[in-house]
Amino acid sequence: MLDVMKIREDFPVLSKKVYDGKPLVWLDSAATSQKPRRVIQALVDYYEGYNANVHRGVHALSMESTERYEDARAKVAGFINAESPESLIWTRNTTEAINVVANSWGEDNIKPGDEIVVTALEHHSNLVPWQQVARKRGAKVRILPLTDDHTLDMDAAESIIGPRTRLLAATQVSNSIGTIVPVKELAKKARAVGAAVLIDGAQSVPHMPVDVQDIDCDFLAFSGHKMLGPTGIGGLYVKRDVLERMNPFLTGGEMVLAVSYEDATWNELPMRFEAGTPNIADAIGLGAAVDYLQDLGMENVRDHEIALTKYALDAFKELEEELDVHGPKDTVMRGGIVSFHHPDVHPHDLGTVLDRQGIAIRTGHHCAMPMVQSLGVAATARASMYLYNTEEEVDMLVDALKEALRYFRV
Ligand code: PLP
């Protein structure tokens, strides 16, 4: 079990007061998580103690920064159980990671008539790049639908994933309604027809144990800033044999071995996919975030979120006549995301009133427009929880919502 009150002390911003002294209630971790002191300190230590470019220097600072930067890669690779650190490419975020796959592997491997299968839940980051590849390569994007309970329709998956499927690209947890997708089962179906498998781990890697070898995926994309790490750093795991056959997406410095005026040869893995000076400080910061998460234990993080989500769904029952709460009923099938909607009050208005009470939630289409529109609405309000949230904060949310609805007289 997590000692949440002790954990909260590690996050300086969580003691912040907003407006006229209201305690900040951070329920927007699906957008970005807060950062513990250990991560902030890792950034300060880097800039104060050993700031230097990596891989090229012969001096002490460059050797120190290279060692710590590569150490961070090994930690993050280990966190997702990658076969080796070389299977982890640093990117800016999930979006960039998926674009690397689309522009490199996708351009080389998707052929006319092929099908790219995604779920109805996808964030734009795991939909738009595939629409682009499909358009360029004469392929088709197919959508795996949901059941009435907002879980993935596995019967439909059985008929949609077939001999034409070249890639299955699925999110593991929906950022808009919280659904958990059984990616291991889907990956098995995709493998059976010879398709490659990409998992969008933006909302899973921060919140639950994720094991790329167990899922048996070719690619896993995730963002550091959603898992207690800094912004501007993320990861792309690629299975070793797939990575060896992939062409680099960006070219230039760092990713080359030898260059003449006419030609160039590529560096070793994973540097081949990391052109230019990398985001050294933030990679090291993400390593510190992974240390923090591993000390807590990802099973414990997941258990805390299941319990808190159950508590939140029970608390929302008090508002069931007013609000539609989206997503699966079963907390085992959902992450710590509660998305809701009132038929007569715009989510932005709800969000603004909650904000005045110090409660930060997200409102809008959550970069998953087709998914949110399929609920019959243009936007929802979304509370998203993490390891530092408490039942008291859920109570504050529900009380503030009741008050907001009274304010709007609905
Ligand atoms: N995929 C999912 C499921 C997300 O929730 C997000 C961000 O909210 C992304 C992809 C994109 O992440 P980023 O903006 O860090 O690239």
Side-chain angles (χ1 to χ4, degrees), residues 36 50 64 82 94 109 118 139 167 219 254 296 320 322 339 409:
Y50 57 97
E64 187 173 354
T94 304
N109 289 278
V118 302
L167 173 72
F219 310 101
E254 278 273 305
L296 294 178
E320 70 189 347
E322 287 101 328
S339 202
R409 295 175 206 286

Side-chain angles (χ1 to χ4, degrees), residues 56-89:
R56 353 182 148 135
V58 290
H59 49 71
L61 255 57
S62 177
M63 285 188 266
E64 187 173 354
S65 66
T66 302
E67 195 181 318
R68 298 220 193 186
Y69 171 77
E70 289 303 335
D71 242 29
R73 189 195 303 276
K75 277 182 204 171
V76 178
F79 187 65
I80 54 168
N81 198 29
E83 303 88 300
S84 69
E86 293 75 41
S87 278
L88 182 77
I89 299 167

Side-chain angles (χ1 to χ4, degrees), residues 151-184:
T151 56
L152 201 77
D153 186 338
M154 294 304 278
D155 292 337
E158 195 63 53
S159 60
I160 291 174
I161 298 172
R164 285 178 186 276
T165 310
R166 186 72 194 93
L167 173 72
L168 166 80
T171 191
Q172 190 167 10
V173 178
S174 152
N175 69 309
S176 56
I177 59 169
T179 304
I180 294 180
V181 173
V183 287
K184 187 173 170 182

Side-chain angles (χ1 to χ4, degrees), residues 89-92 96-97 99-101 103-105 246-256 264-267 270-278:
I89 299 167
W90 295 122
T91 61
R92 280 189 301 145
E96 186 174 276
N99 272 276
V100 168
V101 181
N103 284 280
S104 167
W105 182 91
M246 260 167 69
N247 286 310
F249 167 43
L250 294 178
T251 53
E254 278 273 305
M255 53 74 64
V256 282
T265 57
W266 305 150
N267 203 342
M271 269 81 83
R272 193 183 302 170
F273 291 89
E274 294 173 350
T277 298

Side-chain angles (χ1 to χ4, degrees), residues 30-31 93-96 123 125 171 173 175 200 202-203 223 225-226:
N93 46 40
T94 304
T95 306
E96 186 174 276
H123 187 283
S125 294
T171 191
V173 178
N175 69 309
D200 175 346
Q203 299 294 347
S223 298
H225 69 97
K226 293 184 196 285

